[in-house]
Amino acid sequence: MSGYAEIAAHYRDAIVNGDLSPGDSMPSYAAVAEEHGANRTTVIRAFDVLRSEGLIVTKPSKGSVVATPPVAVTGAGRVDRIRRNGQQYAQGEVSSGHRTWRRSIDDPEVCQALDLEPGEECVIRIRVFERDGKPTSVGLSVYPPRATAVVPELAGEAQMNGFFGGLYTERTGREVVAGQRTVGARQASQDELNSLAIDVPAHAAVAVLVERVTYHDEGGPLAYWEDVHAPGSRIAITPAK
C-alpha cells in the first residue's frame, strides 16, 4: 500500500521525465487507488500535492491533466532523464543556436571547478533551449583537454546527441558522475538577454537563475555546465546522478 507522498513522487517523476506530457490526462482516482493499493482520500491528497507544485491542473470535462509546461528542465536533469528512459527533450522542447569554439579560460570559478590554470584552452559549447517556440534557457558547457582528447566530437560543430559521458565511459571504462549542483541568481549578460529574447533598455538590470554542475571521473573534472534560465522559471531540483 502506498502513501500519498509515494503516489505524488511516482507521478512527479513521470511528468519530469517526460513519460507524461503537457496536456495528457492523469489516471482517474479509482485507477490510481487500485494500482497503488490506496484509498480515494490518499489519492486525492497526492493529486493536491502535484497541483500545488504546478505539475497538474484541473480542466472542465477533462479532470486532472499535466500542466503546460510543468517546470524548467536543467542540463543535469536531462542527463538523469536520458539515463532513465533515453529521452533528451521534453514534449514541445527543442534546442537551437548551437555554437562551439576553443577559448582560453580565465573565469576563476570555471578554472577552480575544472582544476585549470588561468589561460588554459578549453572547448566551449552553447545552445538555446526552447519550449513551444519560446526560449527557456541558455546552456553553456566547458570541456578541458582531458575530456576532448577522449571525446573529440565535443570540439565539432555538430550537435551532440545524448550525454558526452556515455561515449567517455564506453571508451575509457571510467564512470562519469556529477558533483554538487548549485543554483544562484546573477545579472544577465546582454548575450544571454538576446538568446532568451528579453527586450529591455540597455541600462536595465535583469536577474536570471543559474544552475551549475561539474562532471568528474576518478581522475578529475571533465566538464563544467551552466544553465541560465529565463526570469520566472520554476526549476525542479533533484539529486544529480
Side-chain angles (χ1 to χ4, degrees), residues 9-64:
H10 172 81
Y11 289 104
R12 183 185 300 113
D13 287 345
I15 293 169
V16 173
N17 292 342
D19 299 326
L20 287 171
S21 301
D24 283 354
S25 294
M26 295 290 289
S28 68
Y29 291 155
V32 175
E34 181 177 357
E35 179 181 352
H36 293 271
N39 59 44
R40 180 182 173 87
T41 301
T42 299
V43 175
I44 291 174
R45 189 176 181 188
F47 275 41
D48 285 344
V49 170
L50 298 174
R51 221 171 263 111
S52 71
E53 294 176 354
L55 294 173
I56 65 173
V57 294
T58 301
K59 290 192 174 182
S61 76
K62 283 192 172 183
S64 297

Side-chain angles (χ1 to χ4, degrees), residues 10-209:
H10 172 81
Y11 289 104
R12 183 185 300 113
D13 287 345
I15 293 169
V16 173
N17 292 342
D19 299 326
L20 287 171
S21 301
D24 283 354
S25 294
M26 295 290 289
S28 68
Y29 291 155
V32 175
E34 181 177 357
E35 179 181 352
H36 293 271
N39 59 44
R40 180 182 173 87
T41 301
T42 299
V43 175
I44 291 174
R45 189 176 181 188
F47 275 41
D48 285 344
V49 170
L50 298 174
R51 221 171 263 111
S52 71
E53 294 176 354
L55 294 173
I56 65 173
V57 294
T58 301
K59 290 192 174 182
S61 76
K62 283 192 172 183
S64 297
V65 300
V66 179
T68 308
V71 291
V73 182
T74 67
R78 288 188 184 86
V79 173
D80 295 346
R81 185 167 59 200
I82 289 169
R83 285 170 169 166
R84 283 192 289 261
N85 60 20
Q87 297 183 24
Q88 184 170 354
Y89 295 107
Q91 181 74 20
E93 186 181 43
V94 297
S95 60
S96 62
H98 291 258
R99 290 175 282 165
T100 305
W101 64 93
R102 292 184 180 272
R103 179 173 294 178
S104 297
I105 303 298
D106 294 304
D107 184 293
E109 183 173 358
V110 179
C111 287
Q112 181 177 7
L114 293 177
D115 194 21
L116 298 173
E117 292 294 330
E120 288 194 56
E121 188 176 79
C122 293
V123 167
I124 299 175
R125 298 179 66 92
I126 190 168
R127 58 274 186 206
V128 179
F129 291 95
E130 301 175 5
R131 192 159 193 173
D132 298 325
K134 181 180 179 180
T136 57
S137 66
V138 178
L140 177 143
S141 49
V142 183
Y143 300 95
R146 66 183 302 265
T148 56
V150 176
V151 188
E153 294 93 332
L154 290 168
E157 293 292 335
Q159 178 180 347
M160 294 290 292
N161 293 317
F163 178 45
F164 86 96
L167 290 175
Y168 187 90
T169 299
E170 179 183 311
R171 294 169 183 176
T172 65
R174 297 194 294 270
E175 183 182 8
V176 177
V177 297
Q180 177 65 48
R181 291 161 69 177
T182 62
V183 178
R186 63 161 167 77
Q187 184 173 330
S189 69
Q190 188 59 52
D191 186 57
E192 290 165 348
L193 292 175
N194 294 341
S195 296
L196 293 170
I198 299 173
D199 186 16
V200 295
H203 63 276
V206 177
V208 287
L209 201 60

